[in-house]
Amino acid sequence: MTDTVLDIRDLNVRFDGEDGEIHAVKGVSLSVAKGETLAVVGESGSGKSQTMMAVMGLLAANGRVTGSALYRGMELIGQPIKTLNTVRGVKMTMIFQEPMTSLDPLYTIGDQIAEPIRYHRKVSRRKPGRAPWSCSISSVFPTPNAGSIPIRMKCRAASASA
């Protein structure tokens, strides 16, 4: 078994636009081994987010991806959503750059953090008793809605929900 956790080869992302095709990501290759940390940095519009969105199968409807992205030997590119959901949010996650767009002010912080936990761990909302994470959510985020909390707290909440 290999120690490579993520291996991306010749990744290309294209979008259909009004004026034709836009080649947003051109030939990205990278490898992340067990124990390594990867920070994807670059100028605005350089393709950082689209690269990772493509790997996770989260491109907009007009986007197309070619190349290869192996997570622990499993090809991610072209997989159905059901297969990707066994990896996304459980083994691999993405923390978006802008916490203001990661949180919805119409829902409580607790619900937004709990949603991926409930989904991936199959925890029922109606299950009696409190989940262990519910206590820490209410103590860290005493303000009920995302619209009324400071940006620093929004960053923490966005990271926690990832």
Side-chain angles (χ1 to χ4, degrees), residues 68-91:
S68 175
L70 299 174
Y71 172 75
R72 297 188 182 273
M74 180 179 113
E75 181 62 59
L76 298 176
I77 305 300
Q79 291 294 332
I81 290 172
K82 187 173 183 177
T83 302
L84 290 173
N85 282 344
T86 65
V87 176
R88 292 191 299 215
V90 178
K91 300 174 189 216

Side-chain angles (χ1 to χ4, degrees), residues 8 16-17 38 41 46 52 60 66 82 97 112 114 124 126 143:
I8 300 173
D16 296 324
L38 172 69
V41 297
S46 64
M52 296 305 143
T66 59
K82 187 173 183 177
Q97 302 174 92
Q112 291 178 71
S124 170
R126 296 187 184 134
T143 307

Side-chain angles (χ1 to χ4, degrees), residues 19 26 33 48 57 95 109 126 132 135 140 142-143 160 162:
D19 297 326
K26 299 177 183 177
K48 306 174 299 291
I95 300 173
I109 297 290
R126 296 187 184 134
C135 298
V140 174
T143 307

Side-chain angles (χ1 to χ4, degrees), residues 53-134:
M53 298 275 275
V55 167
M56 296 184 76
L58 298 172
L59 287 178
N62 66 333
R64 293 182 318 283
V65 60
T66 59
S68 175
L70 299 174
Y71 172 75
R72 297 188 182 273
M74 180 179 113
E75 181 62 59
L76 298 176
I77 305 300
Q79 291 294 332
I81 290 172
K82 187 173 183 177
T83 302
L84 290 173
N85 282 344
T86 65
V87 176
R88 292 191 299 215
V90 178
K91 300 174 189 216
M92 182 185 332
T93 192
M94 181 170 170
I95 300 173
F96 292 94
Q97 302 174 92
E98 181 55 59
M100 300 292 281
T101 60
S102 298
L103 298 172
D104 188 332
L106 300 177
Y107 298 96
T108 67
I109 297 290
D111 282 345
Q112 291 178 71
I113 292 172
E115 180 183 8
I117 295 168
R118 279 195 301 267
Y119 179 83
H120 291 293
R121 295 190 183 168
K122 308 292 186 229
V123 175
S124 170
R125 180 183 282 264
R126 296 187 184 134
K127 189 174 183 178
R130 293 182 74 173
W133 41 263
S134 65

Side-chain angles (χ1 to χ4, degrees), residues 2-7 31-35 70-73 92:
T2 180
D3 281 345
T4 302
V5 177
L6 182 64
D7 189 38
S31 184
V32 182
K34 184 177 180 180
L70 299 174
Y71 172 75
R72 297 188 182 273
M92 182 185 332

